[in-house]
Amino acid sequence: MDDLSTARLWLMRSAFVALALLLLFFHLLPIDTQPVSLFSPELFPPLETIDPAEARLRALLDQGTDRVWVGPDLLIAFAFAWSLRRPDYVPALLLAALFLLNDLLLQRPPGLWALLALLACNNLSNRSKSLRDATFGAEWIAVSLLLIGILLMNRIVLSVLLVQPPQLRLSMIELGMTILFYPAVVFVTRTLMGVRRAAPGELDSLGGRG
């Protein structure tokens, strides 16, 4: 009966929000992965020739141009895993708010990636029953295809809107890392957080049958 309780429902929703904020916190830590020479002359520009505001703007515009590595997008990986197992724990409004917050804080074009990620999660939620009895390999393939699809759609829309998309190399690295880490995300979701698919005929927290 605990799985049917309102307290359990809101506890798990709160846990997902806490997880998303924790992932965002670590993502925003000032950890740079680009190679830097301590004695590079570019690190010591003449102070009288550079306005501080202009220097900060240049740094923001050039952020990531020389990066050699980028980690996985764990938020979307966890959102996919939870949407497949217990979509009642991650309603659309909650996911939309968290994805939009990530867009704003990570300086992405606000709303585009959030919308694509939300549509992908909704697709997985609708297919959760059909994928319930499938092997993990089938789930992994479905998730990988969705990740590839939203990456391509994101780049296409940005190009049509004449907005410079992220570096293709870094985007591909992030995509590959996200797909590679997905089994670990599922392991944490099931084993450590106790988020499992509802059994056939079992009522979820919203009263729907699994």
Side-chain angles (χ1 to χ4, degrees), residues 32-38 40 43 64-69 169:
D32 200 355
T33 58
Q34 64 185 32
V36 176
S37 172
L38 294 178
S40 174
L43 295 179
T65 55
D66 297 323
R67 297 183 67 180
V68 297
W69 179 84
R169 177 176 58 86

Side-chain angles (χ1 to χ4, degrees), residues 4 19 21 30 36 47 68 76 85 87 101 107 109 158-159 161 164 169 173 182 205:
L4 305 179
L19 173 65
L21 295 178
V36 176
L47 295 179
V68 297
I76 197 169
R85 281 154 183 80
L101 178 64
Q107 299 179 359
L158 289 178
S159 299
L161 297 178
Q164 179 67 32
R169 177 176 58 86
I173 292 175
Y182 185 73
S205 302

Side-chain angles (χ1 to χ4, degrees), residues 2 15 17 40 42-44 83 85 98 126 132 151 153 161 197 208:
D2 181 58
V17 171
S40 174
E42 287 81 3
L43 295 179
F44 305 98
S83 295
R85 281 154 183 80
L98 292 173
N126 294 334
R132 178 176 53 204
L151 171 66
M153 185 59 65
L161 297 178
R197 291 188 178 95

Side-chain angles (χ1 to χ4, degrees), residues 167-189:
Q167 283 191 54
L168 180 59
R169 177 176 58 86
L170 293 180
S171 295
M172 296 302 294
I173 292 175
E174 183 180 43
L175 172 66
M177 293 292 290
T178 305
I179 293 174
L180 183 64
F181 271 72
Y182 185 73
V185 167
V186 171
F187 175 81
V188 172
T189 296

Side-chain angles (χ1 to χ4, degrees), residues 28-124:
L28 291 174
L29 286 178
I31 301 176
D32 200 355
T33 58
Q34 64 185 32
V36 176
S37 172
L38 294 178
F39 302 100
S40 174
E42 287 81 3
L43 295 179
F44 305 98
L47 295 179
E48 65 275 7
T49 62
I50 296 184
D51 179 72
E54 180 184 354
R56 175 59 179 164
L57 179 59
R58 289 180 184 177
L60 289 175
L61 293 176
D62 294 337
Q63 186 177 14
T65 55
D66 297 323
R67 297 183 67 180
V68 297
W69 179 84
V70 63
D73 188 339
L74 292 179
L75 175 58
I76 197 169
F78 274 103
F80 280 8
W82 284 52
S83 295
L84 270 171
R85 281 154 183 80
R86 295 304 294 257
D88 50 322
Y89 290 165
V90 282
L93 186 60
L94 176 64
L95 289 175
L98 292 173
F99 287 142
L100 183 58
L101 178 64
N102 270 257
D103 278 357
L104 295 174
L105 294 183
L106 299 181
Q107 299 179 359
R108 293 192 293 237
L112 176 57
W113 183 260
L115 176 61
L116 295 173
L118 182 61
L119 291 175
C121 288
N122 185 64
N123 178 274
L124 289 175

